[in-house]
Protein backbone atom coordinates (compact mmCIF):
# COMPACT_ATOMS: atom_id res chain seq x y z
CA UNK A 1 0.00 0.00 0.00
CA UNK A 2 1.28 3.48 -0.91
CA UNK A 3 1.94 6.05 1.81
CA UNK A 4 1.25 9.79 1.85
CA UNK A 5 -1.81 11.77 0.91
CA UNK A 6 -3.43 10.71 -2.35
CA UNK A 7 -3.98 13.34 -5.05
CA UNK A 8 -5.17 13.30 -8.62
CA UNK A 9 -3.98 16.14 -10.86
CA UNK A 10 -5.29 16.50 -14.38
CA UNK A 11 -3.65 19.28 -16.42
CA UNK A 12 -4.73 20.40 -19.91
CA UNK A 13 -5.61 16.83 -20.74
CA UNK A 14 -7.09 15.98 -24.10
CA UNK A 15 -7.20 12.96 -26.34
CA UNK A 16 -7.82 12.23 -29.98
CA UNK A 17 -8.51 9.11 -32.00
CA UNK A 18 -6.70 9.51 -35.30
CA UNK A 19 -7.55 13.08 -36.39
CA UNK A 20 -10.66 13.55 -34.24
CA UNK A 21 -10.15 15.22 -30.88
CA UNK A 22 -12.43 13.54 -28.33
CA UNK A 23 -12.65 16.33 -25.78
CA UNK A 24 -11.27 19.83 -25.34
CA UNK A 25 -8.38 20.18 -22.86
CA UNK A 26 -9.56 19.74 -19.29
CA UNK A 27 -7.93 20.45 -15.91
CA UNK A 28 -9.04 19.58 -12.40
CA UNK A 29 -7.67 18.16 -9.15
CA UNK A 30 -8.96 15.78 -6.51
CA UNK A 31 -7.50 15.23 -3.08
CA UNK A 32 -8.02 12.59 -0.41
CA UNK A 33 -11.62 12.20 0.77
CA UNK A 34 -13.04 14.03 -2.26
CA UNK A 35 -15.24 12.78 -5.06
CA UNK A 36 -15.59 14.27 -8.52
CA UNK A 37 -18.12 13.68 -11.26
CA UNK A 38 -17.30 13.79 -14.96
CA UNK A 39 -20.20 14.47 -17.24
CA UNK A 40 -20.81 15.21 -20.91
CA UNK A 41 -22.80 14.10 -23.91
CA UNK A 42 -22.43 10.65 -25.45
CA UNK A 43 -19.06 10.49 -27.16
CA UNK A 44 -17.72 13.44 -25.12
CA UNK A 45 -14.91 11.23 -23.80
CA UNK A 46 -15.92 10.35 -20.21
CA UNK A 47 -14.80 6.73 -20.50
CA UNK A 48 -11.65 7.80 -22.37
CA UNK A 49 -10.77 10.21 -19.57
CA UNK A 50 -11.17 7.49 -16.93
CA UNK A 51 -9.06 5.08 -18.98
CA UNK A 52 -6.29 7.65 -19.21
CA UNK A 53 -6.40 8.19 -15.44
CA UNK A 54 -6.36 4.42 -14.89
CA UNK A 55 -3.19 4.19 -16.99
CA UNK A 56 -4.89 2.16 -19.71
CA UNK A 57 -4.48 4.81 -22.38
CA UNK A 58 -1.81 7.42 -23.08
CA UNK A 59 -3.17 10.94 -23.56
CA UNK A 60 -2.35 12.80 -26.75
CA UNK A 61 -1.63 15.96 -24.76
CA UNK A 62 -1.58 17.10 -21.14
CA UNK A 63 -1.03 14.97 -18.05
CA UNK A 64 -3.01 12.94 -15.53
CA UNK A 65 -0.94 12.31 -12.42
CA UNK A 66 -1.73 10.22 -9.38
CA UNK A 67 0.41 11.20 -6.44
CA UNK A 68 0.93 9.59 -3.05
CA UNK A 69 2.67 12.33 -1.15
CA UNK A 70 5.42 13.42 -3.52
CA UNK A 71 5.55 10.13 -5.43
CA UNK A 72 3.94 10.09 -8.86
CA UNK A 73 2.78 6.63 -9.98
CA UNK A 74 3.48 5.19 -13.41
CA UNK A 75 0.79 3.30 -15.36
CA UNK A 76 1.60 -0.11 -13.91
CA UNK A 77 1.87 1.13 -10.31
CA UNK A 78 -1.36 3.07 -10.42
CA UNK A 79 -3.47 0.13 -11.63
CA UNK A 80 -2.95 -1.75 -8.38
CA UNK A 81 -4.19 1.34 -6.51
CA UNK A 82 -7.36 1.73 -8.55
CA UNK A 83 -10.74 0.06 -8.21
CA UNK A 84 -12.21 0.36 -11.69
CA UNK A 85 -15.79 -0.34 -12.70
CA UNK A 86 -16.81 0.21 -16.32
CA UNK A 87 -19.35 -1.25 -18.75
CA UNK A 88 -16.60 -2.58 -21.04
CA UNK A 89 -14.67 -4.24 -18.21
CA UNK A 90 -15.79 -7.86 -18.28
CA UNK A 91 -14.99 -10.74 -15.99
CA UNK A 92 -14.49 -14.34 -17.18
CA UNK A 93 -17.81 -15.95 -18.10
CA UNK A 94 -16.40 -19.50 -17.95
CA UNK A 95 -15.34 -19.02 -14.33
CA UNK A 96 -17.58 -18.84 -11.28
CA UNK A 97 -17.94 -15.60 -9.35
CA UNK A 98 -15.69 -16.98 -6.58
CA UNK A 99 -13.06 -18.11 -9.10
CA UNK A 100 -13.07 -14.69 -10.74
CA UNK A 101 -12.54 -12.93 -7.41
CA UNK A 102 -9.84 -15.39 -6.38
CA UNK A 103 -8.10 -14.93 -9.74
CA UNK A 104 -7.94 -11.14 -9.34
CA UNK A 105 -6.78 -11.45 -5.74
CA UNK A 106 -4.04 -13.94 -6.64
CA UNK A 107 -2.85 -11.64 -9.41
CA UNK A 108 -2.23 -9.10 -6.68
CA UNK A 109 -0.49 -11.61 -4.45
CA UNK A 110 -3.38 -12.32 -2.09
CA UNK A 111 -5.39 -15.44 -1.27
CA UNK A 112 -8.99 -14.70 -0.36
CA UNK A 113 -10.52 -16.62 2.52
CA UNK A 114 -14.00 -18.07 2.22
CA UNK A 115 -15.21 -15.62 4.86
CA UNK A 116 -13.85 -12.62 2.93
CA UNK A 117 -15.49 -13.86 -0.23
CA UNK A 118 -18.87 -14.49 1.42
CA UNK A 119 -18.77 -11.08 3.07
CA UNK A 120 -18.13 -9.29 -0.22
CA UNK A 121 -20.75 -11.29 -2.11
CA UNK A 122 -23.29 -10.73 0.66
CA UNK A 123 -22.58 -7.00 0.60
CA UNK A 124 -23.53 -6.80 -3.09
CA UNK A 125 -26.51 -9.14 -2.78
CA UNK A 126 -24.91 -12.17 -4.43
CA UNK A 127 -24.72 -14.48 -1.43
CA UNK A 128 -25.26 -18.09 -2.48
CA UNK A 129 -24.32 -17.38 -6.10
CA UNK A 130 -20.55 -17.56 -5.69
CA UNK A 131 -20.29 -21.02 -7.24
CA UNK A 132 -22.34 -20.16 -10.31
CA UNK A 133 -20.49 -19.52 -13.57
CA UNK A 134 -20.75 -15.94 -14.76
CA UNK A 135 -22.42 -17.04 -17.98
CA UNK A 136 -25.52 -17.74 -15.87
CA UNK A 137 -25.50 -14.22 -14.39
CA UNK A 138 -27.69 -11.38 -15.58
CA UNK A 139 -25.98 -8.13 -16.61
CA UNK A 140 -27.03 -6.55 -13.31
CA UNK A 141 -25.49 -9.41 -11.32
CA UNK A 142 -22.26 -9.07 -13.27
CA UNK A 143 -22.22 -5.36 -12.44
CA UNK A 144 -22.71 -6.22 -8.75
CA UNK A 145 -19.80 -8.64 -8.92
CA UNK A 146 -17.53 -5.82 -10.10
CA UNK A 147 -18.36 -4.02 -6.85
CA UNK A 148 -17.62 -7.18 -4.86
CA UNK A 149 -14.11 -7.03 -6.31
CA UNK A 150 -13.88 -3.30 -5.51
CA UNK A 151 -14.75 -4.10 -1.89
CA UNK A 152 -12.16 -6.88 -1.68
CA UNK A 153 -9.49 -4.85 -3.46
CA UNK A 154 -9.75 -2.00 -0.94
CA UNK A 155 -8.05 0.31 -3.43
CA UNK A 156 -7.63 3.93 -2.38
CA UNK A 157 -8.83 5.26 -5.74
CA UNK A 158 -12.24 4.45 -7.23
CA UNK A 159 -12.93 5.14 -10.89
CA UNK A 160 -16.55 4.43 -11.74
CA UNK A 161 -17.75 4.67 -15.32
CA UNK A 162 -21.57 4.60 -15.46
CA UNK A 163 -21.63 3.19 -11.92
CA UNK A 164 -25.24 2.03 -11.86
CA UNK A 165 -25.64 0.72 -15.40
CA UNK A 166 -27.82 -2.41 -15.49
CA UNK A 167 -28.55 -2.15 -11.76
CA UNK A 168 -31.99 -2.19 -10.16
CA UNK A 169 -33.01 0.14 -7.30
CA UNK A 170 -31.48 -2.14 -4.66
CA UNK A 171 -28.24 -2.38 -6.64
CA UNK A 172 -28.12 1.41 -7.00
CA UNK A 173 -28.47 1.77 -3.22
CA UNK A 174 -25.60 -0.68 -2.70
CA UNK A 175 -23.39 1.41 -5.00
CA UNK A 176 -24.35 4.59 -3.14
CA UNK A 177 -23.38 2.94 0.14
CA UNK A 178 -20.04 1.75 -1.25
CA UNK A 179 -19.22 5.24 -2.53
CA UNK A 180 -20.30 6.87 0.76
CA UNK A 181 -18.20 4.41 2.77
CA UNK A 182 -15.24 4.96 0.45
CA UNK A 183 -15.53 8.74 0.71
CA UNK A 184 -15.64 8.59 4.51
CA UNK A 185 -11.96 7.63 4.49
CA UNK A 186 -9.64 10.61 4.00
CA UNK A 187 -6.95 8.55 2.22
CA UNK A 188 -9.21 7.75 -0.73
CA UNK A 189 -10.61 9.56 -3.74
CA UNK A 190 -13.47 8.82 -6.10
CA UNK A 191 -14.13 9.84 -9.70
CA UNK A 192 -17.46 9.04 -11.32
CA UNK A 193 -18.34 9.33 -15.01
CA UNK A 194 -22.05 9.62 -15.54
CA UNK A 195 -24.93 11.43 -17.21
CA UNK A 196 -27.61 10.24 -14.78
CA UNK A 197 -29.14 13.24 -13.08
CA UNK A 198 -29.26 11.48 -9.66
CA UNK A 199 -25.60 10.62 -9.83
CA UNK A 200 -24.43 14.11 -10.77
CA UNK A 201 -24.87 15.07 -7.12
CA UNK A 202 -22.67 12.26 -5.79
CA UNK A 203 -19.47 14.31 -6.06
CA UNK A 204 -18.06 17.52 -4.59
CA UNK A 205 -17.87 19.05 -8.06
CA UNK A 206 -18.68 18.25 -11.68
CA UNK A 207 -16.35 18.44 -14.65
CA UNK A 208 -18.19 18.94 -17.94
CA UNK A 209 -16.43 17.51 -20.95
CA UNK A 210 -17.04 19.33 -24.18
CA UNK A 211 -16.62 17.85 -27.62
CA UNK A 212 -14.50 19.81 -30.02
CA UNK A 213 -15.84 20.62 -33.46
CA UNK B 1 8.89 -7.51 -14.88
CA UNK B 2 9.13 -3.86 -13.88
CA UNK B 3 7.72 -2.82 -10.56
CA UNK B 4 7.16 -6.23 -8.97
CA UNK B 5 9.38 -8.81 -7.33
CA UNK B 6 10.41 -12.04 -9.02
CA UNK B 7 8.24 -14.06 -6.65
CA UNK B 8 5.17 -11.92 -7.34
CA UNK B 9 5.84 -12.18 -11.07
CA UNK B 10 6.09 -15.99 -10.90
CA UNK B 11 2.86 -16.15 -8.92
CA UNK B 12 1.09 -13.88 -11.42
CA UNK B 13 2.37 -16.06 -14.28
CA UNK B 14 1.16 -19.25 -12.62
CA UNK B 15 -2.22 -17.62 -11.86
CA UNK B 16 -2.66 -16.70 -15.53
CA UNK B 17 -1.71 -20.27 -16.46
CA UNK B 18 -4.30 -21.70 -14.02
CA UNK B 19 -6.94 -19.34 -15.39
CA UNK B 20 -6.12 -20.42 -18.96
CA UNK B 21 -6.44 -24.09 -17.95
CA UNK B 22 -9.79 -23.52 -16.27
CA UNK B 23 -11.34 -21.43 -19.03
CA UNK B 24 -10.04 -23.77 -21.74
CA UNK B 25 -11.28 -26.92 -20.02
CA UNK B 26 -14.72 -25.34 -19.76
CA UNK B 27 -14.98 -23.67 -23.17
CA UNK B 28 -12.81 -26.24 -25.04
CA UNK B 29 -12.29 -23.78 -27.91
CA UNK B 30 -8.61 -24.58 -28.47
CA UNK B 31 -8.73 -28.22 -27.39
CA UNK B 32 -11.59 -29.06 -29.78
CA UNK B 33 -9.87 -27.30 -32.69
CA UNK B 34 -6.55 -28.97 -32.06
CA UNK B 35 -8.00 -32.44 -31.40
CA UNK B 36 -10.21 -32.35 -34.48
CA UNK B 37 -7.36 -31.21 -36.69
CA UNK B 38 -4.79 -33.61 -35.21
CA UNK B 39 -7.12 -36.61 -35.46
CA UNK B 40 -8.23 -35.99 -39.05
CA UNK B 41 -4.70 -35.08 -40.22
CA UNK B 42 -3.30 -38.19 -38.53
CA UNK B 43 -5.72 -40.45 -40.41
CA UNK B 44 -5.06 -38.69 -43.73
CA UNK B 45 -1.30 -38.80 -43.34
CA UNK B 46 -1.34 -42.44 -42.31
CA UNK B 47 -3.42 -43.41 -45.33
CA UNK B 48 -1.22 -41.36 -47.65
CA UNK B 49 2.07 -42.74 -46.35
CA UNK B 50 0.76 -46.34 -46.33
CA UNK B 51 0.93 -46.36 -50.14
CA UNK B 52 4.44 -44.89 -50.04
CA UNK B 53 5.53 -47.48 -47.48
CA UNK B 54 4.25 -50.31 -49.62
CA UNK B 55 6.05 -49.01 -52.72
CA UNK B 56 9.20 -48.55 -50.71
CA UNK B 57 9.09 -52.10 -49.33
CA UNK B 58 8.82 -53.55 -52.83
CA UNK B 59 11.71 -51.40 -54.08
CA UNK B 60 13.73 -52.30 -50.99
CA UNK B 61 13.30 -56.06 -51.46
CA UNK B 62 14.40 -55.80 -55.09
CA UNK B 63 17.50 -53.87 -54.03
CA UNK B 64 18.57 -56.59 -51.59
CA UNK B 65 19.45 -59.02 -54.36
CA UNK B 66 23.22 -59.31 -54.54
CA UNK B 67 23.94 -56.77 -51.77
CA UNK B 68 26.38 -57.25 -48.90
CA UNK B 69 25.25 -57.23 -45.24
CA UNK B 70 26.98 -53.83 -44.71
CA UNK B 71 25.17 -52.29 -47.64
CA UNK B 72 21.82 -53.60 -46.36
CA UNK B 73 22.60 -52.16 -42.89
CA UNK B 74 23.18 -48.73 -44.41
CA UNK B 75 19.73 -48.93 -45.95
CA UNK B 76 18.13 -49.61 -42.58
CA UNK B 77 17.35 -45.94 -42.01
CA UNK B 78 16.73 -44.35 -45.39
CA UNK B 79 17.23 -40.71 -44.47
CA UNK B 80 14.88 -39.17 -46.97
CA UNK B 81 12.04 -41.28 -45.74
CA UNK B 82 12.57 -40.60 -42.04
CA UNK B 83 13.05 -36.86 -42.41
CA UNK B 84 10.10 -36.44 -44.72
CA UNK B 85 7.88 -38.38 -42.32
CA UNK B 86 9.17 -36.21 -39.50
CA UNK B 87 8.45 -33.16 -41.65
CA UNK B 88 4.88 -34.33 -42.15
CA UNK B 89 4.50 -34.89 -38.41
CA UNK B 90 5.66 -31.34 -37.71
CA UNK B 91 3.36 -29.96 -40.38
CA UNK B 92 0.55 -31.72 -38.53
CA UNK B 93 1.66 -30.32 -35.16
CA UNK B 94 2.28 -26.88 -36.67
CA UNK B 95 -1.21 -26.51 -38.11
CA UNK B 96 -2.78 -28.07 -35.02
CA UNK B 97 -0.93 -25.48 -32.92
CA UNK B 98 -1.87 -22.55 -35.13
CA UNK B 99 -5.50 -23.77 -35.26
CA UNK B 100 -5.82 -23.88 -31.50
CA UNK B 101 -3.29 -21.47 -30.09
CA UNK B 102 -4.39 -18.65 -32.39
CA UNK B 103 -7.41 -18.16 -30.13
CA UNK B 104 -5.43 -17.44 -27.00
CA UNK B 105 -5.61 -13.64 -27.23
CA UNK B 106 -8.52 -13.31 -29.64
CA UNK B 107 -10.78 -14.91 -27.03
CA UNK B 108 -9.78 -12.25 -24.49
CA UNK B 109 -10.51 -9.49 -27.02
CA UNK B 110 -13.86 -10.98 -28.03
CA UNK B 111 -14.99 -11.60 -24.46
CA UNK B 112 -13.91 -8.08 -23.45
CA UNK B 113 -11.68 -9.41 -20.67
CA UNK B 114 -8.49 -7.76 -21.96
CA UNK B 115 -9.22 -4.64 -19.93
CA UNK B 116 -9.58 -6.46 -16.62
CA UNK B 117 -6.45 -8.50 -17.32
CA UNK B 118 -4.54 -5.30 -18.06
CA UNK B 119 -5.78 -3.83 -14.78
CA UNK B 120 -4.61 -6.71 -12.59
CA UNK B 121 -1.62 -8.24 -14.33
CA UNK B 122 1.88 -7.19 -15.41
CA UNK B 123 2.09 -7.66 -19.21
CA UNK B 124 5.04 -10.05 -19.12
CA UNK B 125 3.18 -12.31 -16.65
CA UNK B 126 0.26 -12.48 -19.11
CA UNK B 127 2.65 -13.47 -21.90
CA UNK B 128 4.50 -16.01 -19.77
CA UNK B 129 1.28 -17.55 -18.40
CA UNK B 130 -0.22 -17.93 -21.85
CA UNK B 131 3.04 -19.25 -23.29
CA UNK B 132 3.21 -21.85 -20.51
CA UNK B 133 -0.36 -22.91 -21.22
CA UNK B 134 0.24 -23.11 -24.98
CA UNK B 135 3.42 -25.12 -24.41
CA UNK B 136 1.63 -27.61 -22.16
CA UNK B 137 -1.27 -27.92 -24.59
CA UNK B 138 1.05 -28.53 -27.54
CA UNK B 139 3.10 -30.96 -25.46
CA UNK B 140 -0.06 -32.94 -24.67
CA UNK B 141 -0.96 -33.03 -28.39
CA UNK B 142 2.57 -34.10 -29.24
CA UNK B 143 2.56 -36.87 -26.62
CA UNK B 144 -0.77 -38.12 -27.94
CA UNK B 145 -0.05 -37.85 -31.66
CA UNK B 146 3.65 -38.69 -32.07
CA UNK B 147 3.73 -42.34 -30.88
CA UNK B 148 0.59 -43.16 -32.87
CA UNK B 149 1.96 -41.46 -35.99
CA UNK B 150 5.35 -43.16 -35.62
CA UNK B 151 3.76 -46.57 -35.17
CA UNK B 152 1.37 -46.16 -38.08
CA UNK B 153 4.03 -44.88 -40.49
CA UNK B 154 6.67 -47.37 -39.36
CA UNK B 155 9.22 -44.82 -38.16
CA UNK B 156 12.26 -46.24 -36.36
CA UNK B 157 14.01 -44.12 -33.73
CA UNK B 158 17.74 -43.55 -34.28
CA UNK B 159 18.56 -41.77 -31.00
CA UNK B 160 15.64 -41.74 -28.54
CA UNK B 161 17.17 -39.09 -26.27
CA UNK B 162 17.95 -36.77 -29.19
CA UNK B 163 14.47 -37.31 -30.60
CA UNK B 164 12.94 -36.39 -27.23
CA UNK B 165 15.09 -33.24 -27.08
CA UNK B 166 14.10 -32.28 -30.60
CA UNK B 167 10.40 -32.81 -29.90
CA UNK B 168 10.59 -30.72 -26.70
CA UNK B 169 12.60 -27.98 -28.42
CA UNK B 170 10.15 -28.03 -31.32
CA UNK B 171 7.20 -27.68 -28.95
CA UNK B 172 8.85 -24.79 -27.16
CA UNK B 173 9.73 -22.96 -30.39
CA UNK B 174 6.32 -23.58 -31.93
CA UNK B 175 4.36 -22.46 -28.86
CA UNK B 176 6.58 -19.37 -28.47
CA UNK B 177 6.05 -18.42 -32.12
CA UNK B 178 2.30 -19.11 -32.01
CA UNK B 179 1.85 -17.11 -28.79
CA UNK B 180 3.47 -13.89 -29.96
CA UNK B 181 1.89 -14.11 -33.41
CA UNK B 182 -1.51 -14.68 -31.74
CA UNK B 183 -0.97 -11.54 -29.63
CA UNK B 184 -0.14 -9.49 -32.72
CA UNK B 185 -3.10 -10.88 -34.64
CA UNK B 186 -5.52 -10.24 -31.75
CA UNK B 187 -4.52 -6.59 -31.67
CA UNK B 188 -5.18 -6.49 -35.41
CA UNK B 189 -8.74 -7.68 -34.66
CA UNK B 190 -8.11 -11.38 -34.98
CA UNK B 191 -7.57 -11.60 -38.71
CA UNK B 192 -6.74 -15.19 -39.63
CA UNK B 193 -4.93 -14.03 -42.76
CA UNK B 194 -2.77 -11.70 -40.73
CA UNK B 195 -2.00 -14.54 -38.32
CA UNK B 196 -0.56 -16.58 -41.19
CA UNK B 197 1.24 -13.61 -42.77
CA UNK B 198 2.87 -12.56 -39.52
CA UNK B 199 3.82 -16.10 -38.64
CA UNK B 200 5.38 -17.02 -41.98
CA UNK B 201 8.87 -15.47 -41.57
CA UNK B 202 9.26 -16.85 -38.05
CA UNK B 203 7.85 -20.23 -38.95
CA UNK B 204 10.00 -20.70 -42.06
CA UNK B 205 13.21 -20.33 -40.05
CA UNK B 206 11.80 -22.52 -37.30
CA UNK B 207 10.82 -25.35 -39.65
CA UNK B 208 14.24 -25.33 -41.32
CA UNK B 209 15.94 -25.65 -37.95
CA UNK B 210 13.48 -28.31 -36.94
CA UNK B 211 14.16 -30.47 -39.97
CA UNK B 212 17.91 -30.23 -39.40
CA UNK B 213 17.40 -31.31 -35.80
CA UNK B 214 15.03 -34.09 -36.85
CA UNK B 215 17.66 -35.44 -39.23
CA UNK B 216 20.12 -35.56 -36.32
CA UNK B 217 17.56 -37.45 -34.22
CA UNK B 218 17.59 -40.18 -36.87
CA UNK B 219 21.36 -40.60 -36.62
CA UNK B 220 22.77 -43.28 -34.33
CA UNK B 221 25.31 -41.71 -31.95
CA UNK B 222 25.45 -38.26 -33.56
CA UNK B 223 28.60 -36.21 -32.91
CA UNK B 224 28.60 -33.58 -30.16
CA UNK B 225 29.23 -30.86 -32.72
CA UNK B 226 26.23 -31.91 -34.77
CA UNK B 227 24.05 -32.05 -31.66
CA UNK B 228 25.18 -28.60 -30.63
CA UNK B 229 24.58 -27.18 -34.10
CA UNK B 230 21.21 -28.78 -34.85
CA UNK B 231 19.49 -29.38 -31.52
CA UNK B 232 21.22 -26.41 -29.89
CA UNK B 233 20.14 -24.25 -32.84
CA UNK B 234 16.53 -25.28 -32.30
CA UNK B 235 16.65 -24.36 -28.60
CA UNK B 236 18.47 -21.11 -29.39
CA UNK B 237 15.67 -20.16 -31.75
CA UNK B 238 13.02 -20.93 -29.13
CA UNK B 239 14.84 -18.99 -26.42
CA UNK B 240 15.48 -16.10 -28.83
CA UNK B 241 11.78 -15.88 -29.76
CA UNK B 242 10.77 -15.99 -26.07
CA UNK B 243 13.29 -13.29 -25.11
CA UNK B 244 12.28 -11.04 -27.99
CA UNK B 245 8.58 -11.61 -27.28
CA UNK B 246 9.10 -10.78 -23.61
CA UNK B 247 10.52 -7.41 -24.65
CA UNK B 248 7.93 -6.69 -27.36
CA UNK B 249 4.83 -8.00 -25.66
CA UNK B 250 4.26 -5.09 -23.22
CA UNK B 251 4.10 -2.70 -26.21
CA UNK B 252 1.70 -4.97 -28.11
CA UNK B 253 -0.44 -5.54 -25.01
CA UNK B 254 -0.65 -1.87 -24.04
CA UNK B 255 -1.37 -0.67 -27.58
Amino acid sequence: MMSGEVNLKVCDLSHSFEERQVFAPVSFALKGGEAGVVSGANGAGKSTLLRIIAGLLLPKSGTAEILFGEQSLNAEERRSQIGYVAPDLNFYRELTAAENLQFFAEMQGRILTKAEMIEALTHVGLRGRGRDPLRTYSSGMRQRLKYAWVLLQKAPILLLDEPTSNLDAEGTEIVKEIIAEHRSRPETLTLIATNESDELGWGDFTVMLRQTL
Amino acid sequence: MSGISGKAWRQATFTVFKKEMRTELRSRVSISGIALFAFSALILLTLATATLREAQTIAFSKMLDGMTVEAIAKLRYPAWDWVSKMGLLWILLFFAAFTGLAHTFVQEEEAGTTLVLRMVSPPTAVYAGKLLFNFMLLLAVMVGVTPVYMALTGMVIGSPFVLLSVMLGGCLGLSATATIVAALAAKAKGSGTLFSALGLPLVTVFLLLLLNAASTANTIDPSALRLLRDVGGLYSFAIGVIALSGMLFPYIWEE
Side-chain angles (χ1 to χ4, degrees):
Chain A
M1 201 51 88
M2 296 284 169
S3 59
E5 194 186 347
V6 59
N7 278 287
L8 168 66
K9 285 182 183 168
V10 175
C11 282
D12 292 325
L13 187 75
S14 71
H15 193 69
S16 54
F17 290 114
E18 293 171 358
E19 294 303 306
R20 191 181 70 83
Q21 193 175 40
V22 185
F23 52 84
V26 62
S27 299
F28 63 92
L30 266 178
K31 60 178 191 289
E34 282 187 337
V37 173
V38 180
S39 189
N42 293 145
K46 301 183 292 295
S47 302
T48 304
L49 176 65
L50 260 60
R51 279 185 179 216
I52 291 170
I53 294 169
L56 294 165
L57 199 61
L58 280 174
K60 284 291 187 291
S61 69
T63 56
E65 267 192 305
I66 291 178
L67 299 134
F68 279 85
E70 294 296 308
Q71 189 192 353
S72 177
L73 305 188
N74 66 29
E76 206 173 314
E77 287 165 341
R78 71 174 65 177
R79 286 177 203 168
S80 62
Q81 305 299 317
I82 289 173
Y84 184 54
V85 175
D88 52 357
L89 179 116
N90 295 330
F91 289 3
Y92 291 94
R93 293 169 72 92
E94 296 87 1
L95 303 183
T96 66
E99 284 169 346
N100 267 290
L101 297 176
Q102 193 65 267
F103 169 67
F104 301 132
E106 282 183 34
M107 289 306 293
Q108 300 195 333
R110 290 168 59 196
I111 300 287
L112 295 177
T113 63
K114 199 175 172 185
E116 282 178 307
M117 201 121 43
I118 290 173
E119 191 189 340
L121 290 173
T122 305
H123 200 129
V124 298
L126 292 175
R127 184 169 188 161
R129 301 299 303 267
R131 288 182 183 173
D132 294 347
L134 244 58
R135 64 171 185 274
T136 65
Y137 273 34
S138 69
S139 51
M141 289 165 76
R142 287 201 290 271
Q143 180 77 348
R144 286 176 183 228
L145 189 65
K146 293 174 191 174
Y147 284 99
W149 170 237
V150 162
L151 289 169
L152 288 163
Q153 198 186 1
K154 297 186 178 80
I157 301 159
L158 264 191
L159 299 181
L160 309 176
D161 187 3
E162 297 181 28
T164 58
S165 67
N166 297 314
L167 290 178
D168 55 16
E170 186 196 292
T172 305
E173 278 307 308
I174 291 169
V175 173
K176 274 173 82 173
E177 276 173 31
I178 290 171
I179 294 171
E181 196 279 326
H182 190 75
R183 286 191 62 184
S184 67
R185 287 182 281 143
E187 73 281 10
T188 64
L189 55 84
T190 312
L191 190 62
I192 301 161
T194 185
N195 274 336
E196 297 291 324
S197 52
D198 291 349
E199 295 162 16
L200 291 173
W202 288 4
D204 298 306
F205 62 87
T206 302
V207 177
M208 281 298 292
L209 293 183
R210 302 197 190 285
Q211 283 176 300
T212 51
L213 297 173
Chain B
M1 234 203 281
S2 65
I4 62 165
S5 69
K7 190 184 169 195
W9 183 83
R10 282 194 297 277
Q11 186 180 339
T13 299
F14 186 62
T15 306
V16 172
F17 170 71
K18 274 197 306 184
K19 187 271 296 175
E20 290 291 310
M21 288 280 281
R22 275 209 181 110
T23 51
E24 181 53 42
L25 286 173
R26 287 175 196 171
S27 70
R28 297 193 185 92
V29 174
S30 299
I31 291 175
S32 315
I34 289 179
L36 188 68
F37 183 87
F39 181 71
S40 50
L42 192 61
I43 290 174
L44 284 171
L45 285 177
T46 307
L47 291 173
T49 54
T51 321
L52 284 172
R53 203 145 38 104
E54 197 180 332
Q56 185 198 341
T57 310
I58 295 163
F60 191 70
S61 59
K62 282 180 183 168
M63 283 167 68
L64 293 181
D65 293 339
M67 284 182 79
T68 62
V69 175
E70 289 77 15
I72 293 169
K74 280 182 186 169
L75 291 170
R76 193 173 157 213
Y77 303 112
W80 69 269
D81 184 47
W82 204 93
V83 173
S84 53
K85 280 178 184 172
M86 199 64 178
L88 280 179
L89 173 63
W90 275 105
I91 286 170
L92 188 161
L93 290 172
F94 166 75
F95 282 105
F98 271 59
T99 305
L101 310 188
H103 298 291
T104 189
F105 288 100
V106 173
Q107 263 177 295
E108 300 272 4
E109 290 284 338
E110 286 175 352
T113 49
T114 307
L115 206 57
V116 76
L117 202 51
R118 284 179 65 196
M119 281 301 289
V120 297
S121 175
T124 50
V126 174
Y127 170 73
K130 283 182 179 283
L131 170 65
L132 187 60
F133 170 75
N134 285 347
F135 175 70
M136 298 303 278
L137 187 60
L138 196 56
L139 196 64
V141 174
M142 190 196 80
V143 167
V145 165
T146 308
V148 179
Y149 177 83
M150 289 181 90
L152 290 174
T153 55
M155 288 174 80
V156 185
I157 301 171
S159 308
F161 177 72
V162 179
L163 179 68
L164 192 66
S165 302
V166 169
M167 297 307 282
L168 279 174
C171 257
L172 190 64
L174 192 50
S175 48
T177 310
T179 305
I180 193 65
V181 174
L184 284 164
K187 287 294 168 186
K189 304 296 169 212
S191 158
T193 316
L194 187 73
F195 188 76
S196 314
L198 291 169
L200 189 67
L202 276 174
V203 163
T204 308
V205 178
F206 169 70
L207 288 177
L208 283 171
L209 287 167
L210 194 60
L211 286 183
N212 275 342
S215 151
T216 308
N218 186 38
T219 311
I220 300 167
D221 294 330
S223 69
L225 186 67
R226 189 170 174 188
L227 277 177
L228 190 69
R229 188 193 63 195
D230 293 345
V231 185
L234 190 63
Y235 277 90
S236 302
F237 172 85
I239 292 164
V241 170
I242 292 170
L244 198 64
S245 303
M247 287 188 277
L248 284 177
F249 185 77
Y251 299 99
I252 300 167
W253 185 238
E254 297 291 340
E255 176 55 42

